[in-house]
Amino acid sequence: MDAAEFAPFQDKVTASLVQVTRTVNHLASEDLNFHRTSSAELTESIDEQSERILSLASAVLKAATGETDLPLPKLEDEDSIEDNWRGVVDVIDSLLEKADACLDEFTGVIKKLSPSQEDQAAAAKKPQKFPTIYDYGPSKIPKPQVLFDRKVDNSNNGPFKPLLRTKPHEITPLEQSLKTQQTEGKEAYPSPYDAEIRAAQYPKPVYEVSPPIDYLPFESTTATFVDTLDGVKEMLEELKAAKEIAIDLEHHDVHSYQGLVSLMQISTRNKDWVVDTLKPWREELQILNEVFADPKILKVLHGSTMDIIWLQRDLGLYVVGMFDTFHAASALGYPKRSLKYLLQKFVNFEADKRYQMADWRVRPLPSGMFDYARSDTHYLLFVYDNLRNELIGASNEDGNLIDYVCERSKNEALQRYELPVYDEKNGQGPGGWYDLLTRNAGMLSKEQFAVFRAVHQWRDEVARAEDEGWQCVFPKHMLFRLAQTMPLDMPTLLRTLSPMTPITKERAVSLLDAIKEAKIAGATGPEWRDIAPPPKTTFKPTATQLENTDFPVAERCEKSQFWGNVLDFNQPPPPPQYSLVASNEALRLSLPLPPMPATVSEAREQLGITDEPVPAPIEQPEFAPEPSAPAENKPFTVKEMGAPRKRKVTPVNQPEKDILTLDGSDDLEMDQESKKKLRKKMRKEKKAQKAEKAAQEATPFDYGAAESVLNSNPTQAPGRQSRPKKAFNPYAKALEAPSGVRKIKRDETGKSLTFRK
């Protein structure tokens, strides 16, 4: 994806994230727990969506941790999110780290080493029979730098001195070119071929339109693998006879602090070579400067920014008369500038990009890797022919695109390699902590910022000593985790860096000491915001405006003007005390009450009440309190808990006895004969009452002797016995509802003893 495709993709992703954020904030502002209780359907729908979101999040986490050493956080329910939140943060940090590396590759800061997601998916389906660079554990391949004639020096003492022993095609003598000079406030060696690169004149065919020369078929031709010094010399003789050559490199930087040029591919119109640059005599390849520094031979490269640096650092090679096809594609306004795009456009060839993540140190070189390396330069001269013709055709009086591309290519060739000096104080330079924190801004306290700097420096020192990449010590997300956690004991350190690399495990004690010292020193040290870059402003006042205008001076406030004292850990303020007067006044202002009279007399006058004699209060007789009776010696019972008591069984021979109660009289205990007599008497009395009532109802009503109903009591009906009116009960219907079964209070079993006070 190039810049033209990335912009709409970024806008689409940003719009989606904004919409998701708005939706989440809207849901968070609603009282979902309250709405759950209002509707069973809503509760079921919310639970269903929660399960769906959890399953989607689990699938994303599983995909993100598929090819990493990070453990997979298990999200089974809402509570498990809090329990596994630290693991989720680690996965997100890992994804952000990969995105950071992809952006660096996209912007050209580093040469692309990792494939796209589509390439990774295609590579996962195919059996990989070669080691990859993504093995951050101990190197499975013996380090070739151990056998180099010139031992690797990862120290940052002094500037880098060019490796040149001879200087073919020189304008300035070698002795003069190897003298230090002041560059950007520090001493450094200039490029030995600085004058030669600036003065180089490109051959005339570069400015002439000519039909592209067809490339030889890839399948019917073979390339030569050069792994001996004699083979290099034979190749050199053939290269001297060429007018244009194509160059490309394969680099490895995982198990090396500075990196290693592992292969160099060179092609002419008729032949391809793949040179092994990991031999102990690798610096003898300087003899290729007879061709590389010859301005009469055109050198075609694609994306040469890092290639120029690597050639100087490892092999002592410099390129004069270079043509970079990347800048040619940029000048023509192609939607993509990658070599893959150019090969598809002009050759209809697509290389197997899964070998981009191969470890190019492996020997012998597998056939697939060999063909992939060869393809980068086999078609490049044909691509150059097409680009040259298009550049000439697109040039006009306003500008010559060929000159534009040649000038840009010269600037690439003028680059100088500098040792990666570690700036402990400011964190500047390649691999410094300043750029890392700027691109990964976060809230770090003083102690955390000090620990971050100390751990970052410790990682750099270990990588230099072991000649390993930083990621082989521990990756970037582990660095931020250490700064946030600040472990002070070995178990916490091992748990924070899990899984821990063997290099770090051997030096865990020194890492723990560095964290402890940094945390103590950080209590009085600076914060990240004191060193962070100021926000960019577009307004730039002139000198006259600065003299005539009093601009406010920015000062650091003791507390945030936006948040106030929210971040301060103070005691909460006491609740406000409202007075009664204030409450009455607030009530009067809030309710439209009529004016109230000030005295009782005014109120009686407004209501029309006349003065009536007030009855004298009834004097109540004074009663002397009766003396309290002395407490009686009442018996009390003490029960002893025990097993359930057995139910008593009535003997069979004992006559049955009933207990009857008549009109509130005492209970009578009688046998069967007495009970029959009593029931017979009760039946006779009841029959007599019914007969008397029937006789009264049969007597006709005498209206003449009846009292008048005009002044009768309204509560008493005529001819009926006076009965009080039943009071209205508003809860009668509620009381008609069925009541629950009362709880039966059972006596606890056991023995009991009765005592008297």
Side-chain angles (χ1 to χ4, degrees), residues 51-111:
E51 294 178 0
R52 179 173 175 268
I53 293 174
L54 282 175
S55 62
L56 290 175
S58 300
V60 172
L61 293 175
K62 184 177 180 180
T65 57
E67 298 180 1
T68 63
D69 297 330
L70 295 175
L72 175 62
K74 296 182 179 179
L75 304 182
E76 299 176 353
D77 50 17
E78 290 82 0
D79 296 335
S80 63
I81 297 179
E82 285 189 15
D83 300 337
N84 299 281
W85 182 247
R86 175 57 57 187
V88 176
V89 171
D90 293 341
V91 175
I92 295 176
D93 289 344
S94 177
L95 292 176
L96 292 177
E97 183 178 357
K98 293 179 181 178
D100 193 8
C102 292
L103 289 176
D104 288 344
E105 294 171 356
F106 178 79
T107 55
V109 176
I110 60 175
K111 189 173 182 180

Side-chain angles (χ1 to χ4, degrees), residues 492-568:
T492 307
L493 177 64
L494 297 176
R495 186 167 57 253
T496 305
L497 284 179
S498 177
M500 183 179 289
T501 60
I503 298 177
T504 306
K505 193 172 185 179
E506 294 175 358
R507 296 169 173 80
V509 177
S510 62
L511 175 60
L512 191 62
D513 294 339
I515 295 175
K516 292 179 180 179
E517 295 176 1
K519 185 176 182 181
I520 296 174
T524 57
E527 296 185 20
W528 162 238
R529 60 180 179 180
D530 298 331
I531 306 177
K536 297 181 180 179
T537 57
T538 57
F539 173 71
K540 295 183 179 180
T542 61
T544 306
Q545 292 174 337
L546 290 174
E547 293 178 359
N548 301 332
T549 307
D550 295 333
F551 290 100
V553 180
E555 297 181 357
R556 181 172 176 179
C557 301
E558 295 297 332
K559 64 179 182 179
S560 172
Q561 297 181 0
F562 181 81
W563 297 106
N565 297 326
V566 174
L567 302 179
D568 297 339

Side-chain angles (χ1 to χ4, degrees), residues 402-428:
I402 291 290
D403 291 337
Y404 168 81
V405 175
C406 293
E407 189 64 27
R408 288 298 185 93
S409 300
K410 282 186 177 182
N411 293 336
E412 296 284 1
L414 287 172
Q415 294 183 98
R416 297 181 300 105
Y417 172 70
E418 296 181 359
L419 288 174
V421 179
Y422 188 82
D423 187 356
E424 176 186 357
K425 181 178 180 181
N426 300 318
Q428 302 291 344

Side-chain angles (χ1 to χ4, degrees), residues 13-15 61 222 293 303 313 366 394 418 493 504 552 601 621 623 642 646 678 741 749:
V13 172
T14 303
L61 293 175
T222 58
R313 181 196 65 196
E418 296 181 359
L493 177 64
T504 306
S601 301
F623 296 96
K646 296 182 179 180
L678 182 60
V741 180
T749 58

Side-chain angles (χ1 to χ4, degrees), residues 205-245:
V206 177
Y207 299 90
E208 298 175 355
V209 177
S210 60
I213 301 175
D214 290 336
Y215 52 86
L216 297 178
F218 191 86
E219 295 78 7
S220 60
T221 58
T222 58
T224 303
F225 185 71
V226 182
D227 58 351
T228 62
L229 192 55
D230 293 336
V232 174
K233 294 178 181 180
E234 293 178 5
M235 178 186 66
L236 178 60
E237 296 301 324
E238 296 187 43
L239 293 177
K240 288 180 180 180
K243 295 181 180 180
E244 306 97 359
I245 63 173

